[in-house]
Amino acid sequence: MRQLYNFAFFDEGSKREIRRAILKGIAIPGYQVPFASREMPIGRGWGTGGLQITLAIIGPDEVLKVIDQGHDGSVNAVNIKKLIVATTGVEITDETARASLIQSRHRIPEVPLTAEQVLVLQVPTPEPLRDIEPRESETRRLHAEADYTGAWLGLFEQVVRYGNMTTGADHPVLVNGRYVMAPSPIPRFDNHKLNNAAHLTLLGAGREKKIYAVPPWTSVVSLDFEDYPFAPETFEGIRCRVCGAQGVYFDELTDPDTGEVFHQCNDTSYCQTRREAQTRREAQT
Amino acid sequence: MAYVAVSGGEEAIAASLELLSEGLSDPAANVASARIAAALPELIDQVMGESSLYEPSLAALALRQGGGSVEEAVFLLRAFRSTLERPYTSRIIETGNMRVKRRISAAFKDILGGQILGVTRDYSHRLLDFRLDGEEQASDSASPAAPAPVPAVPAPAPAPAVSAPAAEAPQGFPNLPKVAASLRAQGLLTPPPPDDTPPRDITMEPLSFPAGRDVRLQILARGMTQAVMALGYAALRGFGPAHPTVGELRYGTLDVLVDHPFEAGDEEDAYYVGALAVTEVESLFSVEREEQEAASADDTHELSFAIGYGLVYGRAESKAIAMSILDHCLTLGDETFPTQDEEFVLYHVDSIEATGFISHLKLPHYVTFQSKLNSVRRTRHDADVPGAAFAREERTDGSQEASHATAV
């Protein structure tokens, strides 16, 4: 009983259904569209939502970049890339600017994306209200009525208790002035990259069976208070030990020899590009 | 300074996969799929049930590839299943037409068509049978004409009310009447409202709530065997109390017929594509009658029976009974009990989803943890925590410049 897989793994009927959900998501920015999430050959919770979007929209001429934790070579990124290449044969790149389709977990690249690019984010928990309301039927009603009291109260309680909002990644955002959305666990540092962006962002949650989208040039505002404004992670006075970059998102590392804490660009492709440019400049001088 | 981060993923994965394949290529461990299917039929049943893919040879292959892990075998088969086109829909299968190989009722001693004990371990003694090992060595070394194996378990003691032959009829007994039919005839069983809406296919349509009974039964039928049992047990024990009487438990085979795509006719003209072995359970619960036809003078309520339904692939009797309990619990739908809360039950019994999300915790979370670390540090007052001093200054001078503000 041998079975040959179709281009991009799915049968065409499945692709069509997923594309319909994507189109609906684009039409209603920030609204979570339920879809019949398929079981995939990688773990459910390991990026199957993003993977299903990627496989539903990928074409043979696509140039694909997959990152996990900002890194093209991270184990899960490699694993997802292998599967996509095995079923499509598309070209792979690490270089952000060259990619036409970027699937990512937990990061938006440092290099601003263009109108020609599509960003697919993997989402573990698409429901921004899940912490305050475990029931899906109830959270759907809250979204329908734009009742976001719970989301605000959650942030307010943090202010009361800890002196400020203490969200880590996945700080909730208001999309197009209507839907509160979980931006997937990107760090707060990346939230602004969704606001009025040139590129299309598609978000897929496989296990939770939801697809949603931020179309280009759509307002995405992080929830905050007038007296407690939203603020990204700070890396004040920190430079990348490898390329010297400042004002980017950093990985915190420990030197195995000295025990000293140092930092490196989290976006490895960005770091690499900078170092190559530096090497070229040094060669010229 | 070497470039550390998490590079080397590609090489590490390749090396890990190599170790995995070496482990499985141990010749002593290399059991043919057919032997797995023959030796462990109930494991095959469990895997087929949780995969919702009825194909014993593929289940055996998946178990072999997954080193015997049910979780892994189900994962392989589900991923395979989601690439399959569904060109035909079978004719409606009437479970009353089951060719019954085993059939018991805990409700009535004497049932129409008789109780058929069939194959069961229920009345066996759970003593390890060390002779099985000897048997295997004998059959490994002996010629094909090896002596007949020693019986694995003592012959089952006859159940109190067995009226039909204890030996399993090879083809099963067709057309036995349902136990519930007699209650229905007496008007003691409240029939659910008739509903001929075609059932939704949970693998092709998004799950939404409130879920219909069709959706509920599909999810429970392919739920993790042990998860369905644990929740069913919880309900039975007291969390959402539901103590049923097993009206009827049947095991047997059901024929699957497919109409000609262009010339749909009656059953006689349909194509026979195979048979499914299933366990079916109808549990009886006493419930208050909702619509009382005759208004009672003393304003008391009347009771009636309702059925909790379980249907699973193969011989998975505990799961089928637990499924019937949960089916009834979800009909009651009192969300103060987790076992009656459909989102709690239906979202959490699926193997792929539970194992997928739990195992994803092994993935790197460097970025999100860095973000969390940043937030935690900003709440700390101790001077020796890096970043805390900065946060404190920030608070006292009241600066709210975005790039300097304390963490959100």
Side-chain angles (χ1 to χ4, degrees), chain B residues 180-202:
Chain B
S182 72
L183 288 174
R184 202 170 278 126
Q186 296 170 50
L188 289 174
L189 197 61
T190 311
D195 182 2
D196 283 334
T197 327
R200 303 206 307 167
D201 181 342
I202 56 160

mmCIF file with all atom_site columns, all heavy atoms in Angstrom, chain B residues 180-202:
data_model
loop_
_atom_site.group_PDB
_atom_site.id
_atom_site.type_symbol
_atom_site.label_atom_id
_atom_site.label_alt_id
_atom_site.label_comp_id
_atom_site.label_asym_id
_atom_site.label_entity_id
_atom_site.label_seq_id
_atom_site.pdbx_PDB_ins_code
_atom_site.Cartn_x
_atom_site.Cartn_y
_atom_site.Cartn_z
_atom_site.occupancy
_atom_site.B_iso_or_equiv
_atom_site.pdbx_formal_charge
_atom_site.auth_seq_id
_atom_site.auth_comp_id
_atom_site.auth_asym_id
_atom_site.auth_atom_id
_atom_site.pdbx_PDB_model_num
ATOM 1   N N   . ALA B 1 180 ? -32.623 -2.569 24.149 1.00 0.00 ? 180 ALA B N   1
ATOM 2   C CA  . ALA B 1 180 ? -33.362 -1.318 24.367 1.00 0.00 ? 180 ALA B CA  1
ATOM 3   C C   . ALA B 1 180 ? -34.725 -1.339 23.689 1.00 0.00 ? 180 ALA B C   1
ATOM 4   O O   . ALA B 1 180 ? -35.636 -0.611 24.091 1.00 0.00 ? 180 ALA B O   1
ATOM 5   C CB  . ALA B 1 180 ? -32.547 -0.141 23.856 1.00 0.00 ? 180 ALA B CB  1
ATOM 6   N N   . ALA B 1 181 ? -34.869 -2.176 22.665 1.00 0.00 ? 181 ALA B N   1
ATOM 7   C CA  . ALA B 1 181 ? -36.127 -2.195 21.908 1.00 0.00 ? 181 ALA B CA  1
ATOM 8   C C   . ALA B 1 181 ? -37.298 -2.555 22.810 1.00 0.00 ? 181 ALA B C   1
ATOM 9   O O   . ALA B 1 181 ? -38.401 -2.020 22.647 1.00 0.00 ? 181 ALA B O   1
ATOM 10  C CB  . ALA B 1 181 ? -36.018 -3.170 20.742 1.00 0.00 ? 181 ALA B CB  1
ATOM 11  N N   . SER B 1 182 ? -37.062 -3.457 23.777 1.00 0.00 ? 182 SER B N   1
ATOM 12  C CA  . SER B 1 182 ? -38.182 -3.867 24.630 1.00 0.00 ? 182 SER B CA  1
ATOM 13  C C   . SER B 1 182 ? -38.610 -2.707 25.535 1.00 0.00 ? 182 SER B C   1
ATOM 14  O O   . SER B 1 182 ? -39.794 -2.494 25.758 1.00 0.00 ? 182 SER B O   1
ATOM 15  C CB  . SER B 1 182 ? -37.793 -5.094 25.458 1.00 0.00 ? 182 SER B CB  1
ATOM 16  O OG  . SER B 1 182 ? -36.874 -4.738 26.453 1.00 0.00 ? 182 SER B OG  1
ATOM 17  N N   . LEU B 1 183 ? -37.621 -1.940 26.035 1.00 0.00 ? 183 LEU B N   1
ATOM 18  C CA  . LEU B 1 183 ? -37.972 -0.768 26.854 1.00 0.00 ? 183 LEU B CA  1
ATOM 19  C C   . LEU B 1 183 ? -38.702 0.271  26.011 1.00 0.00 ? 183 LEU B C   1
ATOM 20  O O   . LEU B 1 183 ? -39.636 0.923  26.476 1.00 0.00 ? 183 LEU B O   1
ATOM 21  C CB  . LEU B 1 183 ? -36.709 -0.141 27.448 1.00 0.00 ? 183 LEU B CB  1
ATOM 22  C CG  . LEU B 1 183 ? -36.023 -0.912 28.575 1.00 0.00 ? 183 LEU B CG  1
ATOM 23  C CD1 . LEU B 1 183 ? -34.724 -0.236 28.947 1.00 0.00 ? 183 LEU B CD1 1
ATOM 24  C CD2 . LEU B 1 183 ? -36.941 -0.986 29.787 1.00 0.00 ? 183 LEU B CD2 1
ATOM 25  N N   . ARG B 1 184 ? -38.248 0.388  24.801 1.00 0.00 ? 184 ARG B N   1
ATOM 26  C CA  . ARG B 1 184 ? -38.851 1.379  23.910 1.00 0.00 ? 184 ARG B CA  1
ATOM 27  C C   . ARG B 1 184 ? -40.314 0.991  23.645 1.00 0.00 ? 184 ARG B C   1
ATOM 28  O O   . ARG B 1 184 ? -41.204 1.838  23.656 1.00 0.00 ? 184 ARG B O   1
ATOM 29  C CB  . ARG B 1 184 ? -38.052 1.441  22.600 1.00 0.00 ? 184 ARG B CB  1
ATOM 30  C CG  . ARG B 1 184 ? -38.226 2.734  21.839 1.00 0.00 ? 184 ARG B CG  1
ATOM 31  C CD  . ARG B 1 184 ? -37.238 2.866  20.685 1.00 0.00 ? 184 ARG B CD  1
ATOM 32  N NE  . ARG B 1 184 ? -35.926 3.334  21.097 1.00 0.00 ? 184 ARG B NE  1
ATOM 33  C CZ  . ARG B 1 184 ? -34.779 2.715  20.838 1.00 0.00 ? 184 ARG B CZ  1
ATOM 34  N NH1 . ARG B 1 184 ? -34.780 1.571  20.165 1.00 0.00 ? 184 ARG B NH1 1
ATOM 35  N NH2 . ARG B 1 184 ? -33.637 3.207  21.251 1.00 0.00 ? 184 ARG B NH2 1
ATOM 36  N N   . ALA B 1 185 ? -40.519 -0.314 23.437 1.00 0.00 ? 185 ALA B N   1
ATOM 37  C CA  . ALA B 1 185 ? -41.871 -0.789 23.157 1.00 0.00 ? 185 ALA B CA  1
ATOM 38  C C   . ALA B 1 185 ? -42.799 -0.514 24.337 1.00 0.00 ? 185 ALA B C   1
ATOM 39  O O   . ALA B 1 185 ? -43.985 -0.261 24.159 1.00 0.00 ? 185 ALA B O   1
ATOM 40  C CB  . ALA B 1 185 ? -41.834 -2.282 22.837 1.00 0.00 ? 185 ALA B CB  1
ATOM 41  N N   . GLN B 1 186 ? -42.232 -0.539 25.538 1.00 0.00 ? 186 GLN B N   1
ATOM 42  C CA  . GLN B 1 186 ? -43.061 -0.282 26.722 1.00 0.00 ? 186 GLN B CA  1
ATOM 43  C C   . GLN B 1 186 ? -43.206 1.209  27.017 1.00 0.00 ? 186 GLN B C   1
ATOM 44  O O   . GLN B 1 186 ? -43.811 1.592  28.024 1.00 0.00 ? 186 GLN B O   1
ATOM 45  C CB  . GLN B 1 186 ? -42.443 -0.960 27.956 1.00 0.00 ? 186 GLN B CB  1
ATOM 46  C CG  . GLN B 1 186 ? -42.404 -2.471 27.878 1.00 0.00 ? 186 GLN B CG  1
ATOM 47  C CD  . GLN B 1 186 ? -41.567 -3.048 29.010 1.00 0.00 ? 186 GLN B CD  1
ATOM 48  O OE1 . GLN B 1 186 ? -41.759 -2.700 30.171 1.00 0.00 ? 186 GLN B OE1 1
ATOM 49  N NE2 . GLN B 1 186 ? -40.623 -3.913 28.663 1.00 0.00 ? 186 GLN B NE2 1
ATOM 50  N N   . GLY B 1 187 ? -42.584 2.024  26.202 1.00 0.00 ? 187 GLY B N   1
ATOM 51  C CA  . GLY B 1 187 ? -42.688 3.469  26.403 1.00 0.00 ? 187 GLY B CA  1
ATOM 52  C C   . GLY B 1 187 ? -41.859 3.977  27.567 1.00 0.00 ? 187 GLY B C   1
ATOM 53  O O   . GLY B 1 187 ? -42.079 5.076  28.065 1.00 0.00 ? 187 GLY B O   1
ATOM 54  N N   . LEU B 1 188 ? -40.886 3.169  27.993 1.00 0.00 ? 188 LEU B N   1
ATOM 55  C CA  . LEU B 1 188 ? -40.074 3.590  29.142 1.00 0.00 ? 188 LEU B CA  1
ATOM 56  C C   . LEU B 1 188 ? -38.795 4.316  28.717 1.00 0.00 ? 188 LEU B C   1
ATOM 57  O O   . LEU B 1 188 ? -38.036 4.790  29.546 1.00 0.00 ? 188 LEU B O   1
ATOM 58  C CB  . LEU B 1 188 ? -39.693 2.361  29.982 1.00 0.00 ? 188 LEU B CB  1
ATOM 59  C CG  . LEU B 1 188 ? -40.847 1.744  30.756 1.00 0.00 ? 188 LEU B CG  1
ATOM 60  C CD1 . LEU B 1 188 ? -40.408 0.467  31.430 1.00 0.00 ? 188 LEU B CD1 1
ATOM 61  C CD2 . LEU B 1 188 ? -41.370 2.743  31.792 1.00 0.00 ? 188 LEU B CD2 1
ATOM 62  N N   . LEU B 1 189 ? -38.556 4.325  27.437 1.00 0.00 ? 189 LEU B N   1
ATOM 63  C CA  . LEU B 1 189 ? -37.329 4.941  26.935 1.00 0.00 ? 189 LEU B CA  1
ATOM 64  C C   . LEU B 1 189 ? -37.721 6.189  26.164 1.00 0.00 ? 189 LEU B C   1
ATOM 65  O O   . LEU B 1 189 ? -38.409 6.105  25.155 1.00 0.00 ? 189 LEU B O   1
ATOM 66  C CB  . LEU B 1 189 ? -36.634 3.939  26.005 1.00 0.00 ? 189 LEU B CB  1
ATOM 67  C CG  . LEU B 1 189 ? -35.189 4.160  25.673 1.00 0.00 ? 189 LEU B CG  1
ATOM 68  C CD1 . LEU B 1 189 ? -34.351 4.132  26.932 1.00 0.00 ? 189 LEU B CD1 1
ATOM 69  C CD2 . LEU B 1 189 ? -34.728 3.076  24.714 1.00 0.00 ? 189 LEU B CD2 1
ATOM 70  N N   . THR B 1 190 ? -37.271 7.340  26.667 1.00 0.00 ? 190 THR B N   1
ATOM 71  C CA  . THR B 1 190 ? -37.613 8.572  25.962 1.00 0.00 ? 190 THR B CA  1
ATOM 72  C C   . THR B 1 190 ? -36.787 8.641  24.684 1.00 0.00 ? 190 THR B C   1
ATOM 73  O O   . THR B 1 190 ? -35.558 8.695  24.763 1.00 0.00 ? 190 THR B O   1
ATOM 74  C CB  . THR B 1 190 ? -37.293 9.793  26.841 1.00 0.00 ? 190 THR B CB  1
ATOM 75  O OG1 . THR B 1 190 ? -37.861 9.557  28.123 1.00 0.00 ? 190 THR B OG1 1
ATOM 76  C CG2 . THR B 1 190 ? -37.847 11.064 26.244 1.00 0.00 ? 190 THR B CG2 1
ATOM 77  N N   . PRO B 1 191 ? -37.423 8.608  23.538 1.00 0.00 ? 191 PRO B N   1
ATOM 78  C CA  . PRO B 1 191 ? -36.615 8.673  22.320 1.00 0.00 ? 191 PRO B CA  1
ATOM 79  C C   . PRO B 1 191 ? -36.109 10.083 22.110 1.00 0.00 ? 191 PRO B C   1
ATOM 80  O O   . PRO B 1 191 ? -36.831 11.045 22.401 1.00 0.00 ? 191 PRO B O   1
ATOM 81  C CB  . PRO B 1 191 ? -37.597 8.270  21.218 1.00 0.00 ? 191 PRO B CB  1
ATOM 82  C CG  . PRO B 1 191 ? -38.955 8.562  21.767 1.00 0.00 ? 191 PRO B CG  1
ATOM 83  C CD  . PRO B 1 191 ? -38.874 8.575  23.257 1.00 0.00 ? 191 PRO B CD  1
ATOM 84  N N   . PRO B 1 192 ? -34.853 10.229 21.654 1.00 0.00 ? 192 PRO B N   1
ATOM 85  C CA  . PRO B 1 192 ? -34.382 11.579 21.328 1.00 0.00 ? 192 PRO B CA  1
ATOM 86  C C   . PRO B 1 192 ? -35.198 12.098 20.155 1.00 0.00 ? 192 PRO B C   1
ATOM 87  O O   . PRO B 1 192 ? -35.743 11.304 19.386 1.00 0.00 ? 192 PRO B O   1
ATOM 88  C CB  . PRO B 1 192 ? -32.915 11.368 20.945 1.00 0.00 ? 192 PRO B CB  1
ATOM 89  C CG  . PRO B 1 192 ? -32.794 9.928  20.599 1.00 0.00 ? 192 PRO B CG  1
ATOM 90  C CD  . PRO B 1 192 ? -33.889 9.201  21.306 1.00 0.00 ? 192 PRO B CD  1
ATOM 91  N N   . PRO B 1 193 ? -35.320 13.422 20.031 1.00 0.00 ? 193 PRO B N   1
ATOM 92  C CA  . PRO B 1 193 ? -36.088 13.945 18.903 1.00 0.00 ? 193 PRO B CA  1
ATOM 93  C C   . PRO B 1 193 ? -35.490 13.456 17.581 1.00 0.00 ? 193 PRO B C   1
ATOM 94  O O   . PRO B 1 193 ? -34.263 13.399 17.448 1.00 0.00 ? 193 PRO B O   1
ATOM 95  C CB  . PRO B 1 193 ? -35.937 15.473 19.046 1.00 0.00 ? 193 PRO B CB  1
ATOM 96  C CG  . PRO B 1 193 ? -34.866 15.694 20.046 1.00 0.00 ? 193 PRO B CG  1
ATOM 97  C CD  . PRO B 1 193 ? -34.738 14.464 20.856 1.00 0.00 ? 193 PRO B CD  1
ATOM 98  N N   . PRO B 1 194 ? -36.331 13.064 16.642 1.00 0.00 ? 194 PRO B N   1
ATOM 99  C CA  . PRO B 1 194 ? -35.802 12.556 15.373 1.00 0.00 ? 194 PRO B CA  1
ATOM 100 C C   . PRO B 1 194 ? -34.984 13.622 14.654 1.00 0.00 ? 194 PRO B C   1
ATOM 101 O O   . PRO B 1 194 ? -35.372 14.797 14.644 1.00 0.00 ? 194 PRO B O   1
ATOM 102 C CB  . PRO B 1 194 ? -37.052 12.184 14.571 1.00 0.00 ? 194 PRO B CB  1
ATOM 103 C CG  . PRO B 1 194 ? -38.207 12.747 15.298 1.00 0.00 ? 194 PRO B CG  1
ATOM 104 C CD  . PRO B 1 194 ? -37.800 13.099 16.682 1.00 0.00 ? 194 PRO B CD  1
ATOM 105 N N   . ASP B 1 195 ? -33.844 13.229 14.127 1.00 0.00 ? 195 ASP B N   1
ATOM 106 C CA  . ASP B 1 195 ? -32.951 14.184 13.486 1.00 0.00 ? 195 ASP B CA  1
ATOM 107 C C   . ASP B 1 195 ? -32.231 13.481 12.343 1.00 0.00 ? 195 ASP B C   1
ATOM 108 O O   . ASP B 1 195 ? -31.379 12.636 12.570 1.00 0.00 ? 195 ASP B O   1
ATOM 109 C CB  . ASP B 1 195 ? -31.944 14.707 14.530 1.00 0.00 ? 195 ASP B CB  1
ATOM 110 C CG  . ASP B 1 195 ? -31.006 15.746 13.954 1.00 0.00 ? 195 ASP B CG  1
ATOM 111 O OD1 . ASP B 1 195 ? -31.163 16.090 12.761 1.00 0.00 ? 195 ASP B OD1 1
ATOM 112 O OD2 . ASP B 1 195 ? -30.114 16.216 14.694 1.00 0.00 ? 195 ASP B OD2 1
ATOM 113 N N   . ASP B 1 196 ? -32.608 13.809 11.128 1.00 0.00 ? 196 ASP B N   1
ATOM 114 C CA  . ASP B 1 196 ? -31.986 13.162 9.968  1.00 0.00 ? 196 ASP B CA  1
ATOM 115 C C   . ASP B 1 196 ? -30.948 14.048 9.290  1.00 0.00 ? 196 ASP B C   1
ATOM 116 O O   . ASP B 1 196 ? -30.572 13.810 8.148  1.00 0.00 ? 196 ASP B O   1
ATOM 117 C CB  . ASP B 1 196 ? -33.065 12.742 8.959  1.00 0.00 ? 196 ASP B CB  1
ATOM 118 C CG  . ASP B 1 196 ? -33.781 11.486 9.425  1.00 0.00 ? 196 ASP B CG  1
ATOM 119 O OD1 . ASP B 1 196 ? -33.161 10.711 10.190 1.00 0.00 ? 196 ASP B OD1 1
ATOM 120 O OD2 . ASP B 1 196 ? -34.951 11.290 9.050  1.00 0.00 ? 196 ASP B OD2 1
ATOM 121 N N   . THR B 1 197 ? -30.467 15.080 10.004 1.00 0.00 ? 197 THR B N   1
ATOM 122 C CA  . THR B 1 197 ? -29.402 15.904 9.435  1.00 0.00 ? 197 THR B CA  1
ATOM 123 C C   . THR B 1 197 ? -28.188 15.021 9.192  1.00 0.00 ? 197 THR B C   1
ATOM 124 O O   . THR B 1 197 ? -27.822 14.248 10.083 1.00 0.00 ? 197 THR B O   1
ATOM 125 C CB  . THR B 1 197 ? -28.968 17.002 10.436 1.00 0.00 ? 197 THR B CB  1
ATOM 126 O OG1 . THR B 1 197 ? -30.096 17.397 11.180 1.00 0.00 ? 197 THR B OG1 1
ATOM 127 C CG2 . THR B 1 197 ? -28.345 18.185 9.743  1.00 0.00 ? 197 THR B CG2 1
ATOM 128 N N   . PRO B 1 198 ? -27.568 15.127 8.025  1.00 0.00 ? 198 PRO B N   1
ATOM 129 C CA  . PRO B 1 198 ? -26.365 14.311 7.815  1.00 0.00 ? 198 PRO B CA  1
ATOM 130 C C   . PRO B 1 198 ? -25.321 14.673 8.878  1.00 0.00 ? 198 PRO B C   1
ATOM 131 O O   . PRO B 1 198 ? -25.147 15.855 9.193  1.00 0.00 ? 198 PRO B O   1
ATOM 132 C CB  . PRO B 1 198 ? -25.876 14.721 6.421  1.00 0.00 ? 198 PRO B CB  1
ATOM 133 C CG  . PRO B 1 198 ? -27.031 15.395 5.772  1.00 0.00 ? 198 PRO B CG  1
ATOM 134 C CD  . PRO B 1 198 ? -27.870 15.962 6.867  1.00 0.00 ? 198 PRO B CD  1
ATOM 135 N N   . PRO B 1 199 ? -24.639 13.684 9.454  1.00 0.00 ? 199 PRO B N   1
ATOM 136 C CA  . PRO B 1 199 ? -23.668 13.999 10.506 1.00 0.00 ? 199 PRO B CA  1
ATOM 137 C C   . PRO B 1 199 ? -22.518 14.828 9.958  1.00 0.00 ? 199 PRO B C   1
ATOM 138 O O   . PRO B 1 199 ? -22.137 14.706 8.797  1.00 0.00 ? 199 PRO B O   1
ATOM 139 C CB  . PRO B 1 199 ? -23.188 12.623 10.968 1.00 0.00 ? 199 PRO B CB  1
ATOM 140 C CG  . PRO B 1 199 ? -23.527 11.696 9.856  1.00 0.00 ? 199 PRO B CG  1
ATOM 141 C CD  . PRO B 1 199 ? -24.722 12.261 9.167  1.00 0.00 ? 199 PRO B CD  1
ATOM 142 N N   . ARG B 1 200 ? -21.992 15.693 10.811 1.00 0.00 ? 200 ARG B N   1
ATOM 143 C CA  . ARG B 1 200 ? -20.825 16.483 10.406 1.00 0.00 ? 200 ARG B CA  1
ATOM 144 C C   . ARG B 1 200 ? -19.585 15.624 10.544 1.00 0.00 ? 200 ARG B C   1
ATOM 145 O O   . ARG B 1 200 ? -19.520 14.771 11.422 1.00 0.00 ? 200 ARG B O   1
ATOM 146 C CB  . ARG B 1 200 ? -20.701 17.717 11.290 1.00 0.00 ? 200 ARG B CB  1
ATOM 147 C CG  . ARG B 1 200 ? -21.946 18.576 11.246 1.00 0.00 ? 200 ARG B CG  1
ATOM 148 C CD  . ARG B 1 200 ? -21.640 19.996 11.558 1.00 0.00 ? 200 ARG B CD  1
ATOM 149 N NE  . ARG B 1 200 ? -20.922 20.164 12.810 1.00 0.00 ? 200 ARG B NE  1
ATOM 150 C CZ  . ARG B 1 200 ? -20.338 21.298 13.152 1.00 0.00 ? 200 ARG B CZ  1
ATOM 151 N NH1 . ARG B 1 200 ? -20.366 22.321 12.347 1.00 0.00 ? 200 ARG B NH1 1
ATOM 152 N NH2 . ARG B 1 200 ? -19.721 21.397 14.292 1.00 0.00 ? 200 ARG B NH2 1
ATOM 153 N N   . ASP B 1 201 ? -18.617 15.838 9.676  1.00 0.00 ? 201 ASP B N   1
ATOM 154 C CA  . ASP B 1 201 ? -17.353 15.105 9.756  1.00 0.00 ? 201 ASP B CA  1
ATOM 155 C C   . ASP B 1 201 ? -16.367 15.993 10.513 1.00 0.00 ? 201 ASP B C   1
ATOM 156 O O   . ASP B 1 201 ? -15.950 17.037 10.018 1.00 0.00 ? 201 ASP B O   1
ATOM 157 C CB  . ASP B 1 201 ? -16.859 14.814 8.338  1.00 0.00 ? 201 ASP B CB  1
ATOM 158 C CG  . ASP B 1 201 ? -15.557 14.025 8.339  1.00 0.00 ? 201 ASP B CG  1
ATOM 159 O OD1 . ASP B 1 201 ? -14.870 13.991 9.385  1.00 0.00 ? 201 ASP B OD1 1
ATOM 160 O OD2 . ASP B 1 201 ? -15.225 13.455 7.288  1.00 0.00 ? 201 ASP B OD2 1
ATOM 161 N N   . ILE B 1 202 ? -16.015 15.571 11.740 1.00 0.00 ? 202 ILE B N   1
ATOM 162 C CA  . ILE B 1 202 ? -15.168 16.445 12.563 1.00 0.00 ? 202 ILE B CA  1
ATOM 163 C C   . ILE B 1 202 ? -13.784 16.652 11.980 1.00 0.00 ? 202 ILE B C   1
ATOM 164 O O   . ILE B 1 202 ? -13.073 17.554 12.372 1.00 0.00 ? 202 ILE B O   1
ATOM 165 C CB  . ILE B 1 202 ? -15.016 15.923 14.010 1.00 0.00 ? 202 ILE B CB  1
ATOM 166 C CG1 . ILE B 1 202 ? -14.467 14.500 14.017 1.00 0.00 ? 202 ILE B CG1 1
ATOM 167 C CG2 . ILE B 1 202 ? -16.321 16.011 14.758 1.00 0.00 ? 202 ILE B CG2 1
ATOM 168 C CD1 . ILE B 1 202 ? -13.852 14.113 15.347 1.00 0.00 ? 202 ILE B CD1 1
#
